[in-house]
Amino acid sequence: MGQPTPARTATRTRATDRDWWRDAVIYQVYVRSFADGDGDGTGDLAGVRSRLPYLAQLGVDALWFNPWYPSPMKDGGYDVADYRGIDPAFGTLAEAEKLIAEARELGIRTIVDIVPNHVSDRHPWFRAAVAAGPGSPERELFHFRPGRGAHGELPPNDWPSQFVGSTEPVWTRLPDGEWYLHLFTPEQPDLNWAHPVVRQEHEDILRFWFERGVAGVRIDSAALLAKDPALPDLAAGPDPHPFVDRDELHDVYRAWRRVADAYDGVFVGEVWLPDPERFARYLRPDELHTAFNFSFLSCPWDAGRLRGSIDSTLAEHAPVGAPATWVLCNHDVTRTVTRYGRADTGFDFATKAFGTPADLALGTRRARAAALLSLALPGAVYLYQGEELGLPEADVPVDRLHDPMYFRSGGADPGRDGCRVPLPWTADAPHAGFGSGEEPWLPQPVGWGAYAVDRQQHDADSLLTLYRRAIAARPAFGTGPLTWLPAPEGVLAFTRGRDESRTDAICVLNLAATPTELPPHTGLLLTSGPLDDTGRLPRDTAAWLTP
Ligand code: NOJ
């Protein structure tokens, strides 16, 4: 630790600047919890603008903003009431435009989050549909159906909630007797993607944001939009699946790609699919540019499993020519240092529980090594705010929880608030420097200030310093493919280079119980922790070497 790193001058051999997304480092901003500029306890665009120098110094290429639109916040903004505005708690559209431009001046692109599967129940379309009544054209934009049972008192089908662990139905009945479909909360009615107006509207929304200078769009729940119009019961075993990964979706994304291409815009899809071949279909050259790699995120801390995940990721992307993405965390999952400090180091929505013990020192050591692993792999890397500070999952008191996942599981699932707690910027300031006014919307745990940016930024051994150095040194790996090196059991070692014929840097990660010798090298670029007295790489530690 603490070695000097090369300045970010090493050349990458990107074909053109238009290919920036193929190997970008993309920082995820959950605006509500990033920085509170106006002191009302909620993060906002003013807060983000004031911290752009921090993000530039970190060295990221782009920011992905979770939904920032007007929203009743029944699902953290994934219940959108107006796709062309900014929630007043966050700022104004003019301010978003300024932010996009200011970031771009610092070399940082912007990615917005579009939520096409559902809208808020406060969206004008849904309000009109409710008011217009059964049989109206307004209701055709959604999935309204009569109920089953003698009096229509039973939901129209047996589909399960897409909030894993939810015990609640995906249908809600209106006073006029009709039911409407919502794969998430009742405040998030699903749109009918068989309707041309729905398709047209979303293409217009994409244009709206591309016109404002955004470089990319993250697509929420990207594999769920299309529904079998017969809405058959799942118990009947319908094939294809009535609402997951239906073939009609590919037409939707081909049309979106035509819109994006006019602006050099790029997509990243939220596609949770176990089948690699089905996943890769979304990444064909005329569809989405990239999709999140949830198999890597969910993978346990185990050499064989990680290598398998890396190999299968690269193999599934190769035939379609799309770059992989490497994701360790986001606003939906247990924070990395907590996950890696548990007995079960994988991630699974179905097994989340209150009170799971975690060894945070162990988890942090592994998270440091995982940072060097993911930043050395070929493709784009996503970094969730606070991951660079090593924030653990916070224990939010149950009476302060907001997340519908908690409420819709009857209180069994802890929900996702623990990874959404406002960031600590200044250790000794009120609210750890998140904002200088009211209490943050989610409480920060005692001791949160210890993770603050001001504590870490001049500390050569901090995780923030490691991330800064690694992002700066990362071009050493070039843009060439990965080649595995022979390594002892439990150790992963690979090389990459500027092109296929060169080896410019080596990454080694030791997941075995004992220290391991480093492979032959001429220089040490960076390590995630100290080497032992004999220069060996200890357990749960990674190193970047020059050959
Ligand atoms: C995925 C988002 O990441 C999550 O936060 C949200 O609850 C669901 N989609 C529904 O929009």
Side-chain angles (χ1 to χ4, degrees), residues 75 78 118 163 184 218 220-221 270 331-332 416 420:
D75 180 20
Y78 284 92
H118 43 267
F163 281 144
F184 296 92
R218 180 246 187 207
D220 186 66
S221 303
E270 192 208 14
H331 65 293
D332 289 331
R416 301 163 293 179
R420 299 175 177 181

Side-chain angles (χ1 to χ4, degrees), residues 255-310:
W256 284 31
R257 181 62 180 253
R258 289 192 289 275
V259 174
D261 280 349
Y263 299 90
D264 283 340
V266 301
F267 292 119
V268 54
E270 192 208 14
V271 182
W272 291 86
L273 287 181
D275 177 341
E277 191 275 324
R278 296 292 305 184
F279 174 86
R281 285 178 187 224
Y282 290 82
L283 301 177
R284 289 178 289 198
D286 59 348
E287 298 192 41
L288 309 184
H289 303 72
T290 54
F292 293 119
N293 183 352
F294 292 118
S295 82
F296 186 69
L297 179 154
S298 311
C299 187
W301 189 249
D302 170 87
R305 300 283 295 273
L306 280 168
R307 180 169 171 160
S309 171
I310 293 165

Side-chain angles (χ1 to χ4, degrees), residues 222-248:
L224 300 180
L225 280 46
K227 314 285 184 314
D228 181 336
L231 305 178
D233 274 339
L234 268 183
D239 185 22
H241 194 285
F243 65 87
V244 178
D245 184 32
R246 292 180 61 82
D247 285 343
E248 307 89 283

